[in-house]
Amino acid sequence: MKTFFFFVDNHFPESDSNSVWGTLEGELQKRTIKYKTELISDGQQIEYVLKKNLNNTDLESKNNLVVVTVGSSTFFLDVLTKLRNASTQQIPIAFILINEKTNFATKIGVSSNPVVALRQILNSVHPISYNLGLVENALGTGKQIFTDELIVGFSAYVTDLIKNSKFYNLLVKYHLSLIAEFCAITDAFINQESFSVTTRLSQKYNFFKNSFSIRIKNQPFLDNENSKETNNLQLTIITSLNPLSYWLILLARKFNFSSKIPFIHTFEQKQIHLVINSLEFSQIDNRQLINKFYDAYLKSFSYPFWFDVDSISISEKDNS
């Protein structure tokens, strides 16, 4: 019988996390599920709790353990990172998001309704592996996992402008997000400067002196669920960006002819070495990072998740 170890993010307002957790706990008790809970108020607490519990757990119990996070996608990635560090064994993981919908969750079919997501977890009988990306920065900023994409340059700058401008926030507040985005893109065109990028893929170096945007994309579905062969990460570097080329890039992505445009450079590799010597805007899975330099290895890896996403009806997914 599986034991579910719930990590509940205590940073949410009481009306969110505690009320959601109360509802979820009621469901667990109805179904007489074996579980234990840890309320997390500090990131360092995660590592301490994991090491304390895993060091005192025998192999059979570890084989029957599933870690579940309740909170934000950032909280989930933090727990997953520390779980991988704390255990050499791949302990299955699942997540229940509160007031959030991510590209990764949508792609693999996890409901944004916490109660329905819990049912997808409890209905599962075996783990399923999905592909993820890992960033290891040689400059000492540690490891970061991403489920969807890492972006450096123009797009991250636009997002930063929207999130940190009172004027743009006001436009978004009054449902004028398209105008806010248009203004931020215009602002970024005026102020964005090109930067140098060096990549190494399969021992081959590539140098781009005038880059404006970098995107490293993860494809979550493995070609073969039973295989340990991971997917390639998809790297795109744009070396010319102006109002005209911007719209051409959007059309190219929509109609899949990016490979025909000379200033769009695409690569696929399981491991990418990326070097950027200037301070640039960046984001992981739509989460802004501090401006940083990059001397990083990006790696593809797979990890077991505990979901049966098809155990609920399509209408339940759509109404979540």
Side-chain angles (χ1 to χ4, degrees):
M1 184 178 181
K2 289 292 180 183
T3 298
F4 294 89
F5 193 178
F6 286 86
F7 284 74
V8 182
D9 187 357
N10 222 21
H11 285 118
F12 280 84
E14 187 173 339
S15 60
D16 285 334
S17 64
N18 290 346
S19 62
V20 169
W21 174 242
T23 303
L24 296 176
E25 196 163 32
E27 291 290 321
L28 291 168
Q29 291 167 357
K30 280 181 189 177
R31 295 178 61 160
T32 62
I33 300 297
K34 188 178 179 182
Y35 73 97
K36 50 185 176 179
T37 309
E38 196 73 41
L39 298 177
I40 303 296
S41 301
D42 185 275
Q44 295 180 345
Q45 188 183 352
I46 299 170
E47 190 168 7
Y48 170 77
V49 170
L50 282 169
K51 287 182 177 179
K52 178 183 174 182
N53 282 271
L54 294 178
N55 288 340
N56 296 326
T57 302
D58 58 59
L59 182 60
E60 184 179 354
S61 297
K62 279 185 183 179
N63 289 335
N64 289 309
L65 184 65
V66 176
V67 172
V68 184
T69 69
V70 180
S72 67
S73 58
T74 304
F75 180 67
F76 156 67
L77 291 174
D78 195 13
V79 172
L80 176 56
T81 301
K82 290 179 170 63
L83 178 60
R84 292 180 76 239
N85 292 337
S87 175
T88 54
Q89 181 180 339
Q90 287 192 322
I91 296 171
I93 195 167
F95 57 83
I96 296 173
L97 300 179
I98 298 178
N99 299 332
E100 187 179 356
K101 202 169 187 176
T102 66
N103 288 336
F104 179 70
T106 301
K107 284 178 180 178
I108 67 175
V110 176
S111 174
S112 58
N113 181 316
V115 175
V116 177
L118 177 64
R119 286 172 51 196
Q120 291 177 305
I121 294 167
L122 300 181
N123 291 344
S124 181
V125 294
H126 62 82
I128 180 170
S129 292
Y130 292 107
N131 205 81
L132 301 170
L134 177 68
V135 184
E136 294 184 272
N137 205 322
L139 299 176
T141 54
K143 298 179 181 179
Q144 292 175 297
I145 294 172
F146 62 98
T147 59
D148 187 38
E149 61 186 4
L150 165 67
I151 296 174
V152 183
F154 184 82
S155 296
Y157 183 25
V158 170
T159 303
D160 183 82
L161 287 170
I162 294 172
K163 287 189 175 181
N164 295 306
S165 165
K166 290 182 180 179
F167 174 64
Y168 295 152
N169 278 323
L170 190 64
L171 291 174
V172 173
K173 181 180 178 181
Y174 289 101
H175 309 290
L176 299 172
S177 54
L178 288 177
I179 295 176
E181 186 175 359
F182 177 80
C183 293
I185 289 171
T186 303
D187 197 346
F189 277 134
I190 295 170
N191 295 298
Q192 170 84 33
E193 294 182 358
S194 63
F195 52 93
S196 296
V197 177
T198 302
T199 66
R200 187 177 69 173
L201 303 98
S202 299
Q203 307 303 316
K204 181 181 178 181
Y205 285 92
N206 301 283
F207 302 94
F208 304 93
K209 292 185 178 180
N210 298 295
S211 301
F212 288 89
S213 179
I214 298 172
R215 184 186 301 262
I216 298 99
K217 189 80 175 172
N218 172 57
Q219 299 298 325
F221 294 103
L222 297 173
D223 292 333
N224 184 347
E225 293 177 10
N226 299 317
S227 171
K228 292 188 177 180
E229 184 71 17
T230 57
N231 295 340
N232 288 332
L233 296 173
Q234 297 178 345
L235 168 65
T236 303
I237 299 175
I238 297 173
T239 53
S240 176
L241 201 59
N242 54 55
L244 179 61
S245 65
Y246 179 79
W247 294 110
L248 181 59
I249 290 165
L250 291 183
L251 288 172
R253 286 176 179 165
K254 184 175 179 61
F255 296 104
N256 295 319
F257 63 88
S258 299
S259 59
K260 307 294 184 181
I261 300 178
F263 54 81
I264 300 179
H265 309 271
T266 58
F267 308 90
E268 288 194 9
Q269 200 76 34
K270 288 180 175 59
Q271 179 169 308
I272 299 166
H273 185 195
L274 179 70
V275 179
I276 303 172
N277 293 322
S278 57
L279 206 59
E280 299 300 332
F281 290 93
S282 58
Q283 65 184 57
I284 281 183
D285 291 347
N286 295 317
R287 184 177 79 257
Q288 291 300 115
L289 305 176
I290 59 171
N291 292 10
K292 62 198 300 185
F293 303 95
Y294 276 88
D295 183 358
Y297 289 91
L298 296 100
K299 300 176 182 178
S300 178
F301 74 98
S302 64
Y303 198 86
F305 285 72
W306 196 263
F307 286 112
D308 185 349
V309 295
D310 296 322
S311 64
I312 63 171
S313 67
I314 295 175
S315 61
E316 285 178 297
K317 288 184 185 179
D318 292 341
N319 293 328
S320 66

